[in-house]
């Protein structure tokens, strides 16, 4: 699902556009199945404690399931954020939208824009865009291999932009 707004005609020709969403490895169906299994396991175990006279344990087992449910829901909510990086013939625009739908937009001139990827590439590596003393980290939701691919694609788009100029 692409939550980003389409570019307006005033923005110029789009040379590069990437929409980055956080990865969630558990599908909603898998989440429901996991909660049902954990809930049933907690119910059976709690019932065993209840029948043996340790009745307060069943309440704590229910709290555990509720906390697990809340943690997954918070994770899925944070997964609704996204980042759009768009290079037009006018500027490079980075837009971030958080789970509360608050938007932050940065515009950088592409003429002197540098794309830096930390080397050696590891899980904490960053892609930093630098232009005129301004620095902006992008693509933090990407895996290391995706960061390399993203940085290479953006560099190639910038080279094409410079070649047209």
């Amino acid at each position: 699902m692409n939550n980003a707004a389409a570019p307006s005609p005033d923005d110029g020709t789009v040379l590069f556009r990437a929409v980055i969403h956080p990865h969630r490895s558990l599908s909603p169906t898998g989440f429901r199945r996991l909660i049902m299994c954990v809930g049933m396991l907690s119910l059976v175990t709690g019932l065993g404690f209840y029948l043996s006279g340790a009745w307060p344990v069943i309440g704590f087992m229910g709290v555990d399931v509720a906390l697990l449910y809340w943690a997954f829901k918070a994770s899925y909510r944070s997964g609704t954020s996204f980042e759009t990086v768009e290079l037009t013939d006018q500027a490079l625009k980075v837009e971030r939208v958080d789970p509360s739908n608050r938007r932050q937009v940065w515009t950088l001139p592409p003429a002197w824009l540098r794309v830096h990827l930390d080397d050696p590439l590891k899980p904490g590596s960053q892609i930093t865009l630098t232009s005129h003393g301004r620095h902006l980290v992008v693509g933090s939701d990407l895996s290391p291999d995706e960061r390399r691919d993203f940085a290479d694609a953006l560099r190639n788009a910038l080279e094409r932009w410079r070649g047209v100029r």
Side-chain angles (χ1 to χ4, degrees):
M1 179 166 84
N2 188 347
N3 295 327
S8 70
D10 300 339
D11 292 341
T13 305
V14 176
L15 303 170
F16 175 85
R17 187 166 200 266
V19 180
I20 302 166
H21 294 273
H23 177 70
R24 297 294 179 260
S25 59
L26 188 62
S27 70
T29 303
F31 166 68
R32 283 190 294 278
R33 289 180 182 163
L34 176 71
I35 290 297
M36 285 181 13
C37 289
V38 170
M40 291 303 293
L41 183 64
S42 292
L43 180 65
V44 169
T45 306
L47 193 58
F49 278 106
Y50 178 78
L51 293 175
S52 68
W55 57 268
V57 173
I58 199 165
F60 288 108
M61 308 260 328
V63 168
D64 284 350
V65 175
L67 287 174
L68 182 66
Y69 177 85
W70 175 80
F72 270 101
K73 281 299 188 179
S75 174
Y76 280 117
R77 184 175 181 277
S78 72
T80 62
S81 64
F82 64 94
E83 181 177 51
T84 303
V85 179
E86 182 176 88
L87 176 65
T88 65
D89 54 359
Q90 306 295 318
L92 179 90
K93 182 173 121 180
V94 178
E95 178 182 24
R96 285 194 190 128
V97 179
D98 68 11
S100 301
N101 212 23
R102 285 188 303 248
R103 297 179 186 279
Q104 290 180 299
V105 179
W106 295 269
T107 304
L108 301 167
W112 301 103
L113 186 71
R114 286 190 343 228
V115 179
H116 174 74
L117 178 61
D118 293 344
D119 193 31
L121 196 59
K122 57 186 186 228
S125 297
Q126 294 182 330
I127 301 170
T128 307
L129 305 178
T130 307
S131 180
H132 291 70
R134 295 174 60 192
H135 305 281
L136 181 62
V137 175
V138 296
S140 57
D141 290 325
L142 298 173
S143 70
D145 289 336
E146 290 171 331
R147 286 184 185 148
R148 180 184 315 111
D149 294 342
F150 175 86
D152 289 344
L154 183 54
R155 283 183 190 123
N156 290 338
L158 283 167
E159 286 175 15
R160 283 193 316 272
W161 182 89
R162 290 178 184 125
V164 170
R165 291 278 171 199

